[in-house]
Amino acid sequence: MADSSSDVIELLAETRVFRDFPVPELKKIAARFRKETHPKGTVIYHKGDTGNKLYLIASGQVALLDNANGRESTVAVLGQGEIFGEMALLTGEPRSVSVRLDATSDLLVLDKKDFDDLMAQNPNIGIFLSQIISHRLARTMDPKAKGMDKRQPLESKLHLFVRLAPQIQGTLFTINLAVNLVEQSRRKVVLVELCLESKSAILAMLGLRADLPNSKELGSLPLRELLKKVKISHPCGLDIMAVPSSLFVSPQDREKAFVALNWLRSNYDHALLAATPLQWESLQSVFREVDEIYLVSGSSDQTENLSGKITQIIGQDEARASLREVHLISDGKDSFVDLAKIRVGWSRAIDKDYEQNRNPFEALNATRTLRAIERLARILAGLQIGLALGSGGALGYTILGILKILERERIYPDIIAGSSIGSLAGAMYARGLSIEEMTEIALSIDAGWIRDFVFWDLAIPRGGGFLGGVKLQRFLKTIYDDLEFKDLEIPLACIATDIRTGEEITIREGRVLDAVRASIAIPVIFKPHLFQGRLLVDGGLVNPVPSSTLIQMGAALRLAVRLTSSPSERKSSIGLLGKKQEEESLGVLDVFFRTILTMSHQIAASKEDVAHVTIHPKTPNFNWKDFSRAQELITLGEAAAEEALPKIKALLPFFADYCATRLKT
């Protein structure tokens, strides 16, 4: 029996294809549709199937998938009120994509016969459907802009946070994450607290009305009306809801849960649901429907135990796809963010600060914890900032000036890829060294340091290079010690070259020291570095500006720092030991390095520029060996970053004005 309810008619009236029809006609059209409900993960049809139905999403979320070249990719994500399956009906061709449900969904289905009848009676429907197809194709055509245009609709996400940490820590973390998600993405965000008792910890911490709906309201009001009633809009742009967990918990009434969750999907880009481990048994429906589950924990044992319970509830495959971990480390010493496991360092001083001033935002201001939460917010929003740091010898000092300006503007990279000197600087920053600490190291390197630590470290030529690099390795150990990639605050990739095969090698595991040493091993000058069974040399030989690596690491906004210039842009400069060198009397090393820089420039120019913004410091009066001129180069890096800032800010939603009230300075 066709569903011709007022909800269906209302939905049709809001759909572009049918909104111009008068109500009597909408009733007739609604009668042709039938309602189907399918669980999350259902494949509605496969690519190549015969097209015999049109679908309208009443609630839920749908992914259009393609498997070109044997790899599945998401073509588009559709939500409430959107239509799919129209192309095959219009063209008579087989289905061009597969369709999978990303949430338990209500679909309104129109058979081909009824579709053809409607088309015959209303030819304009075909025009509207063709426009939808064209718009959908246009959304996916520009891979460079994908995910960065803040006006481009993205899929709605449901994130469940189960708090195992102490209440103050867990509540401060959740509030600040939600606020930063609004700030970083400028999308519609709601924070939903699933409360066991009649009080809301989140509303109380924010100083807002903290009473929850009573049992009468829970039983009498329609679910959507109840959610609207409890919504509180904070001046920062965040919506907050505090509801009894019983609203979602009935194992026998899964429909109640997914109706509520789909309402959140339809009205928000991101919904953060906050729960406690005491609710885990009653949240089965929620576990199955959300996109990601995060465990906010102060103990790895707690996390492992709850992970096991959730895995039992939702199944091994679903758990593997959705389960993530967020650790709050009590001493604040061990903190990093990466794509698989996220750790947010926590200091007891944060709790004490909150207890003194009762301001949930000031307690985290200007802390490394806040920076980690900001990065986590960008991960949730799919807006990670990637920074590719290029090769160029001493010209790499400009990177410090660039980082200084980016930090001043609160533009923090979430992913770093470095080649040669870029890997050296990138690894320092990724491990958590401040710009001041990095600058102090740079200023300590002068001509005498280079002579003692590098050029007096000779090797027998049969070793593959004149310089053994032993002293250099000792110096690197003072910076990185035995730190491994998994211990870094920021995900890092170091680029090197396999001297035997000429392959580009991306290093993302093992000791950071070894990766950096390999990436900066200039052939002939330094001995190749044996790492993981390969003889590796300088990464600038194959990828002097590793912007492409950022794509592989999941960066949405890609910034690149290019240090090399064309020969025509370079001029003579002061030599390493302070003697004026004329172009006609270049030394052997100068000739070699200028050859390397020219080759690197040509390689970088020949590669497709996949960076959204490339920062290119102007250094015509400097060369690869001007290590004693750090401060000058740092200043030039600052100038280059200042010049690029307008382009960078134009791509970041963070810099859009969205409200008069700001929570943090």
Side-chain angles (χ1 to χ4, degrees), residues 578-595:
K579 299 178 181 179
K580 182 68 177 176
Q581 293 185 341
E582 302 293 340
E583 296 291 340
E584 62 269 17
S585 62
L586 293 173
V588 175
L589 285 180
D590 279 308
V591 172
F592 178 78
F593 273 99
R594 288 183 178 229
T595 302

Side-chain angles (χ1 to χ4, degrees), residues 198-219:
S198 58
K199 297 181 180 179
S200 163
I202 290 175
L203 293 180
M205 186 170 282
L206 289 170
L208 300 173
R209 176 177 56 83
D211 54 313
L212 273 61
N214 56 44
S215 57
K216 184 179 180 181
E217 290 174 320
L218 287 173

Side-chain angles (χ1 to χ4, degrees), residues 40-41 61 101-104 156-162 192 194 248 254 257-258 260-262 264-265 270-275 283-295 310 314 317-319 321-324:
K40 178 182 179 181
Q61 187 165 279
L101 302 186
D102 284 349
T104 298
S156 296
K157 289 286 189 179
L158 301 181
H159 317 274
L160 175 64
F161 289 82
V162 182
V192 183
L194 306 180
F248 295 91
R254 278 194 71 187
F258 82 72
L261 295 171
N262 280 343
L264 294 175
R265 286 190 189 274
H270 295 276
L272 279 63
L273 288 81
L283 291 175
Q284 297 183 27
S285 299
V286 177
F287 286 142
R288 291 182 179 276
E289 290 297 326
V290 296
D291 300 293
E292 294 177 320
I293 302 170
Y294 297 86
L295 307 179
I310 295 174
I314 65 176
D317 292 339
E318 288 183 69
S322 65
L323 192 61
R324 300 291 184 269

Side-chain angles (χ1 to χ4, degrees), residues 298-369:
S299 157
S300 58
D301 291 340
Q302 290 177 303
T303 302
E304 290 174 4
N305 291 337
L306 191 58
S307 297
K309 292 179 179 179
I310 295 174
T311 301
Q312 292 175 4
I313 293 173
I314 65 176
Q316 187 68 46
D317 292 339
E318 288 183 69
R320 190 180 294 112
S322 65
L323 192 61
R324 300 291 184 269
E325 295 179 316
V326 179
H327 290 283
L328 301 181
I329 309 299
S330 60
D331 60 8
K333 295 179 180 179
D334 186 13
S335 70
F336 73 90
V337 178
D338 72 23
L339 301 179
K341 182 180 291 185
I342 305 154
R343 294 186 183 174
V344 180
W346 202 272
S347 171
R348 294 184 180 91
I350 297 174
D351 294 14
K352 293 178 181 177
D353 192 28
Y354 172 73
E355 290 287 355
Q356 290 176 357
N357 60 39
R358 294 290 171 174
N359 188 314
F361 309 111
E362 290 184 0
L364 269 68
N365 247 346
T367 67
R368 293 175 69 180
T369 301

